[in-house]
Amino acid sequence: MLITLGLVLAVSAASAVGTRQARREQTGLKGPGIIDICSSCGPNSPLREARVSTLVHVPSGESFDFSLAAANGRDRVGLRLTAGSAVLFSNVGGHETRLGTGSRNTSRTISLDGWKKVELDWRGNNIFYRVYDSQAARPGAPLGGFTMDRLDVLPRKLHIAATGGTTIDGTAITHVVAGYPAGPGQLPTTASQGIYFPANKKVVPVPTWLSLSPSLPAPILDSDPDLVRLYNNTWQILLSKNILQPRPSSPLVRTYVDSGFDPTIMFQWDTLFSLQYAIYAHGGFDAIASLDNWYVVQGPTGEIRRAYNSRTGAIHPWAAGPNGVNPPLFAWAELAAFRQTADIDRVKRVLPALRAYADWVSVQMWSQASPHQLYWNNGNGNGMDNLPTQLGQGGDGGTNGVANVDMSSQMVLMRNSLAELEDAAGEGDRAADHRAWADAIAEKIRRLAWNEEDGRFYELTASGAQWKVDSLAGFWSLLAGVASPAQASRLRAALTDASRYWTDMVFPTLSQTDSRFDPKGDYWRGGVWAPTTFATIKGVQQTGDRALARAASERYLAGIRDAFDYSGTLFELYAPFKQSSAYISASYTGEKTGLLRPIVLPNVTLSGTHVAPGTDEKGSALNSRGGSDNLAKDQFVGWTGLAPITLLLENVIGIEADSPRGLITWDLQRTDRHGIANLNLGKTGTLTLIADARASPSSHTHICIIGEVSKSLTVEVTVGSTKVKMTLAAGAVNDCSSTATWQRG
Ligand SMILES: *[C@@H]1O[C@H](CO)[C@@H](O)[C@H](O)[C@H]1NC(C)=O
Ligand SMILES: *[C@@H]1O[C@H](CO)[C@@H](O)[C@H](O)[C@H]1NC(C)=O
Ligand SMILES: *[C@@H]1O[C@H](CO)[C@@H](O)[C@H](O)[C@H]1NC(C)=O
């Protein structure tokens, strides 16, 4: 027997707080229930965020609509539950539309037995829904979601409609809302960009080596002055060409780190990786502010595409449609900067833009109608153009529902990085939401994409079958913390396997065991690229294997230096295997600009084999002189700066700072006198850390720490399994002999 409770129609609700209303019992529904959930909103202040939920029982043959409605109470977007299914729909001007097609189909088959908790989560034009047993915990990942690209509905009210047999618990209706700041100009329109990040234009002069070098961290490596020279040269190349000022007429607001391709186009994934070293300049140049240019062109739905015209701020045609979304790494880059600068004001300023972007990308790249419900990207979007993947360079996962391990892992990395930033900003509830979502994605990757026999994570087809290509795409699971310890150990074993990934230059993007692997590179079919090698090394470090992270960093850096010695420059990518001097001497770069140049300096005569730049997507056919005419771009700083700067400081010297936590870690492995002078910790101060030379990695040494810190700081030094902690008190630090002197064992 059904007991039917009617709707609570006369619910008045205060804005910005959850409310519980008295339960009223009433038979049959007399019309839609409309609840004002933002009574204090002005006419120009729609809700940016609204989470509404209730408890409902929908028997077979009955239906229930739970929607967010505009001020007129009629136009709405929301969820319809009928026997066995849930779907998002909109109704605007009396015209009803079911939301989502292809793998973006928001329709789910669900069991509606018993009481269900139903939730709508509206975030700046992205709507997500959850339906779960009333007694169960709120699921980390939503069941479906949609981006309203047109702002048809500016939600102000909760609209409830149901057939007579549906039972709603009126006491369980809750809502939590947040509005835009009221006032004209805040109303989002499809033309409005940057609403999540109000910013005035502030363009600083491009720094020079002379102006910047005194504020840079200075590596100290007594037995390896060449690496210090390479470090200096890397900064010099960056400063000489790849820091740009936007034009006065451009909507961009900051002097920024450019990708090194074409000054008229901003490229997202290049920028995000270049920042992982450029942030070390923060004492003299605010590199992370480069991202402000991306937040000011962000769309009102949270959309940030992978390339923009730097003169006009318009989306570049290359970034349209399914080719338009890069790995979602803004939060990861902001977190890296925050760890150095402890600039919590910036974190608070950028969080609205990061959240909106996270929600948008979570819908756009979600194969939500597929059984795996993971995320997709194609070669243009994932940045690995010709790597063999199901979607190839331009396929549309939004229609065919595949899953990629790199994109799915990057979503986990994004949510967990956001969680850390939210925690720092005191937003614990939001942090918990991001973590729950990250955990839900990670669990699915581990369960569905892992192949125990092969010890790899693979792409999934729309039906959930594994699609087997052994490439670095699956190794993003390390950095994202997705791989279990057992899975991570299988992956590390592959990285150190000379028949797979342990090549002369580490790590090739495609395993040698793939028939398409090219020892000369062929772009992403064996080429060794800074972003993927960096992400893989940092992933290995994340699993706790600092020794392998260091060995890989040293091998990669040694290769870059080998090529630097004969070419005087850094390249966009490298060949995985060393090449003969004859080949290198007969090879050219510059094919893409129509200006072929030899890569070997005129005063250098090569002999033996050497690390060589990789061939580009034109492949590795030889020219008439036995070399290549298709070598990768030179002067590439550019993301190749990651090894001579970040990997040198963090994995070769082994020092890393977490300024907000007041923690410096030092993985002490070298035996020469080494360290970092002038390590800028932003608001926390500046330190110089130097270890004396010693006879062997097991003999004792002295560490000197000099500088000034604004708060107490811990320096944690690790040698093998021994850990020594030093505490520095706030104020001037000059710890050369007493507390900082330690003996191993
Ligand atoms: C969405 O999927 C459902 C099945 O769950 C199907 O009936 C419906 O036609 C699909 N809608 C669209 C627009 O693809
Ligand atoms: C690198 O640059 C710094 C700062 O100008 C300078 O003091 C140092 O001598 C340079 N080192 C090498 C090896 O070029
Ligand atoms: C070759 O010339 C470059 C400048 O073009 C110079 O930096 C380099 O030191 C020279 N190398 C040798 C081996 O003379």
Side-chain angles (χ1 to χ4, degrees), residues 360-516:
W360 176 79
V361 80
S362 296
V363 175
Q364 294 307 307
M365 311 311 282
W366 188 12
S367 290
Q368 57 177 304
S370 305
H372 50 70
Q373 291 205 16
L374 288 167
Y375 300 84
W376 63 274
N377 212 335
N378 64 26
N380 287 316
N382 69 24
M384 303 190 290
D385 313 55
N386 68 342
L387 186 79
T389 60
Q390 277 176 99
L391 291 174
Q393 199 151 341
D396 186 355
T399 52
N400 65 18
V402 310
N404 297 89
V405 178
D406 47 342
M407 187 65 182
S408 301
S409 300
Q410 289 151 0
M411 295 296 284
V412 174
L413 183 60
M414 174 189 77
R415 292 272 169 203
N416 280 330
S417 302
L418 262 174
E420 203 165 326
L421 295 171
E422 299 275 16
D423 268 339
E427 298 274 359
D429 288 351
R430 290 184 190 271
D433 259 10
H434 292 305
R435 283 204 181 90
W437 200 335
D439 290 349
I441 301 167
E443 184 278 327
K444 273 191 273 196
I445 301 173
R446 278 192 298 271
R447 181 161 44 86
L448 303 172
W450 177 253
N451 185 301
E452 180 63 28
E453 197 176 325
D454 297 0
R456 293 293 184 286
F457 288 103
Y458 291 128
E459 287 180 34
L460 299 173
T461 68
S463 67
Q466 294 184 349
W467 195 82
K468 299 186 181 185
V469 168
D470 187 2
S471 81
L472 283 190
F475 290 71
W476 275 92
S477 56
L478 297 173
L479 183 60
V482 166
S484 70
Q487 291 166 339
S489 114
R490 302 278 301 274
L491 293 175
R492 285 195 308 264
L495 292 174
T496 53
D497 180 343
S499 68
R500 290 185 163 78
Y501 288 100
W502 195 255
T503 42
D504 290 340
M505 263 308 245
V506 289
F507 293 105
T509 40
L510 189 62
S511 168
Q512 288 171 74
T513 50
D514 190 290
S515 59
R516 291 155 292 199

Side-chain angles (χ1 to χ4, degrees), residues 565 601-604:
D565 284 347
L601 290 168
N603 56 355
V604 173

Side-chain angles (χ1 to χ4, degrees), residues 480-565:
V482 166
S484 70
Q487 291 166 339
S489 114
R490 302 278 301 274
L491 293 175
R492 285 195 308 264
L495 292 174
T496 53
D497 180 343
S499 68
R500 290 185 163 78
Y501 288 100
W502 195 255
T503 42
D504 290 340
M505 263 308 245
V506 289
F507 293 105
T509 40
L510 189 62
S511 168
Q512 288 171 74
T513 50
D514 190 290
S515 59
R516 291 155 292 199
F517 174 86
D518 184 331
K520 292 188 170 66
D522 188 8
Y523 233 39
W524 295 90
R525 297 186 166 195
V528 174
W529 292 77
T532 37
T533 290
F534 182 77
T536 304
I537 288 175
K538 287 297 176 185
V540 167
Q541 179 183 331
Q542 158 89 19
T543 69
D545 193 343
R546 288 214 65 123
L548 176 55
R550 182 170 40 85
S553 298
E554 284 171 351
R555 192 173 178 92
Y556 179 50
L557 196 48
I560 288 178
R561 174 174 158 188
D562 180 10
F564 185 86
D565 284 347

